[in-house]
Amino acid sequence: MPDYKAPLRDIKFVMSELLDSEQHYASLEGAEDATPDMVDAIIGEGAKFCEQVLSPLNQVGDQEGCTWSEDGVKTPTGFKEAYQQYVEGGWPSMAADVEYGGQGLPNSVNLVMSEMVGTANWAWGMYPGLSHGAINTLESHGTEEQKQTYLTKLISGEWTGTMCLTEAHCGSDLGTLRSKAEPNSDGSYSITGTKIFISAGDHDMAENIVHIVLARLPDAPKGTKGISLFIVPKYLPGEDGSAGEKNAVSCGSIEHKMGIHGNATCVMNFDGAKGWLIGPENKGLNCMFTFMNVARLGTAIQGLSHAELGFQGSLDYARERLAMRALSGPKNPEGSADPIIVHPDVRRMLLTQKSIAEGARALIYMAAQQSDILHQGKTEEERQAADDMMGFLTPIAKAFLTEMGHESANLGVQVFGGHGYISEWGMEQNVRDARIGMIYEGTTGIQALDLLGRKVLMTQGESLKGFTKLVHVFCKENADNEQMKEFIEPLQALNKEWGEITMTIGKNAMKNRDEVGAASFDYLMYSGYAVFAYLWARMAKVALDKMAEGTEEEAFYNAKVETARFYFKRLLPRSRGHVAMLEAGADSLMALPEDQFAF
Ligand SMILES: Cc1cc2nc3c(=O)[nH]c(=O)nc-3n(C[C@H](O)[C@H](O)[C@H](O)COP(=O)(O)OP(=O)(O)OC[C@H]3O[C@@H](n4cnc5c(N)ncnc54)[C@H](O)[C@@H]3O)c2cc1C
C-alpha cells in the first residue's frame, strides 16, 4: 500500500485559488473562525494524523478484517486507538452545531478532512463518517431532548451512529421495507425487524452506537408514504446520560465481502428494541432527504479518495520501475532500461488518474461550498439557489466520481503490471475498496434516474439551466482570450448540446417513459464529463493567469494547464460515445423479449 501523502498544494489550489475560499467564508453567517490561517492549520494537522496514524492501518484493516463474537464485533488492530486519538483531537465536532458541543466550522472544511481520512484509510473513515448521517438527522429533526441526549455524544465522538435502511428484500426500493414500530405507553416504540448491510453496525471503538432506523408504524400507508424514522441506541441512556442498560438490538453476523474489510458490514436484529420517533409519523423518507445531499457528497469523496491513492501509488512506481526503452530513444542510458513513465501508454494511465483525482477534488469542493451556503448563507434566496445547485450536482458527484474513482484505482493495478494484481502493493485492495462506492448511497443506476428524471426533467430543465448559465458566463468572459480558446470552444459547444439532448430525451419520454431509463446512465456520464470540462477550463485559466503574472511555481501551474489539455483531448471525447448511446433510445434495450435473454 503506498504511504499516503496529503496533496496539500492541490488542496490549497482548489480551495483558495479556484474557489476563493477566503471570500466564500467571509460571506457566510457565523463562519468568522474560518480564517485562511485557521483553515490551513486545521488541514495541516489533519494531514499529519491521516498520514501518520490512519494510512499505516489501511492494509492492516484489509488483511485482518473485523471479527464477530457473541460479545460484539472487534475491529482490526489499531483501529480503536486511532479513533481515540481522533476524538481527543476534536475532529468529530469540527462542523457541528456549537450549541451541542460542535466547533461550528463550515462543512467544506470538514470535507477536506474527510477526503484525507478517506484516502488514508476508507474503511476506518466510515466509522466516524456514518456518525455524520446520524448527526445531520438529529440536527434537522430531533427534539431538544433527543439533541441533548444523543447529538452531544455523537458530536463529541464518544458515541457513533449508523443508518439502518436496507432489508434483505429491499435496498433501492425502500417503499417495501417491513421493519415494524409498535407504540409503547411511555411514548417510546418497540422496533422489530432485521436490517442487513449496516456499515459500522457494531464495533468496539466507541462506548455506544446510535442507530437511525427506518420502520413502519401499525396501519401505516403502503409504500414510501408509510415509513417513519426512529432513534434506537445500542445501550439505553441512563439517568446521567451515559450508556446504560443494553437494548434489544444485536449484530447477528458480519458479511464477508469484496473490500473495505476493516469496516464491519452487519446484519442487525431488532427484537422489540426500544426506540423513539424522529420527525413526524410517516415522513421518515422526507426527513432523510433533507440531508441526503450532504451524505451523498460524503460518498462522492470515495471516488476522489481511491483515484488519489491509485495515482500516488502509480506515479511512484512508474518513476522507478524499469522496462524497455522509450520508442523515441533511451531516456535512462546509464540504466538497464528506461522507467516506464517514458511510455505513452503509461502516461495515458497516469494522466487519466491525475485528471480524475484533481477534477474530482474541484467538483467536491465546489459542491461543498454550496452546502456551506445552504446552512450558513445570509439570505433565503442564496440558500435556495445553493439547495438547487446541490440537488443538481450531487447525483453527478456521487455516481460519476465513484465510477471514475474505480477506473482510476483499476489503472493503478495496470501501471504496476503483475505487481498490481498481488496484495503486497495495495493496488488490488484499492480496487476492491473502491467498488462499493458505485453501489451504496444509491447505485449509479438510481443516481442517474434521480438526475435525469427528478432533478432535470421534472424541473423542466431548470436545475440544468442553473449550471449551464455558470458555464455560459465563464465562456463569455473568456471569449477573447486567445490562450483559452482550446478550452472555451469545446466547452461552449458542449454546453449548448447539453440543453439540446435534454430536450430530445424529454420529448421522447412524453411518448415512452422507458426513454428516460434508457438514456439515464449515459446522460449522467455525459453530465459528469461536461462538469469536469467546466472545472478543468477554470483551473487552466487560474494557472495561465498565474504564469502570465510571473510565479515561482511555474512547474505547478504548467502541470495544471497540461493536465487540462490532456483532459480535453483524451477524456472529454468519451462524451461523444455517451451522446451516441443515449440518442440510440430505448428500442435496442427493450426489444429483446425477456424469455429470449438466455439464448
Ligand atoms: C458494504 C456495504 C455497506 C452498506 N452500508 C449500508 C448502510 O450502512 N446502511 C444501509 O441501510 N444500507 C447499506 N448498504 C446497502 C446498500 O445501500 C444497498 O445494497 C444499495 O442501496 C442497493 O440496494 P440492493 O442491494 O437492494 O440492490 P437492488 O435495489 O436490488 O438493485 C439491484 C440492481 O438493480 C438496479 N435497479 C434497481 N431499481 C432500479 C430502477 N428503478 N432503475 C434502474 N435500475 C434499478 C440497481 O441499480 C442495481 O444495479 C450497504 C451495502 C454494502 C454492500
Side-chain angles (χ1 to χ4, degrees), residues 268-280:
M268 298 303 301
N269 297 320
F270 296 84
D271 300 311
K274 206 164 189 175
W276 289 268
L277 184 69
I278 312 174

Side-chain angles (χ1 to χ4, degrees), residues 130 163-166 170-173 196-199 257 260 265 436 439-443 445-446 449:
L130 262 295
M163 300 305 295
C164 296
L165 284 55
T166 306
C170 71
S172 307
D173 185 6
I196 66 162
F197 299 161
I198 303 308
S199 300
K257 57 189 192 289
I260 56 165
T265 306
I436 186 61
I439 298 172
Y440 55 21
E441 280 294 340
T443 61
I446 296 297
L449 275 183

Side-chain angles (χ1 to χ4, degrees), residues 324-333 338 342-343:
M324 300 172 64
R325 292 291 180 195
L327 295 170
S328 52
K331 300 290 179 286
N332 175 33
D338 285 341
V342 304
H343 304 307

Side-chain angles (χ1 to χ4, degrees), residues 360-413:
R361 183 166 299 115
L363 171 48
I364 286 173
Y365 290 15
M366 179 174 76
Q369 284 198 343
Q370 297 301 314
S371 85
D372 290 343
I373 300 170
L374 182 60
H375 293 111
Q376 293 170 276
K378 285 191 176 144
T379 65
E380 176 53 32
E381 206 183 349
E382 266 185 311
R383 291 194 291 271
Q384 185 56 52
D387 197 19
D388 293 344
M389 183 61 79
M390 268 204 87
F392 176 71
L393 286 178
T394 304
I396 299 173
K398 196 283 170 183
F400 181 70
L401 296 189
T402 53
E403 294 280 336
M404 300 300 276
H406 184 253
E407 175 181 343
S408 179
N410 235 330
L411 288 174
V413 171

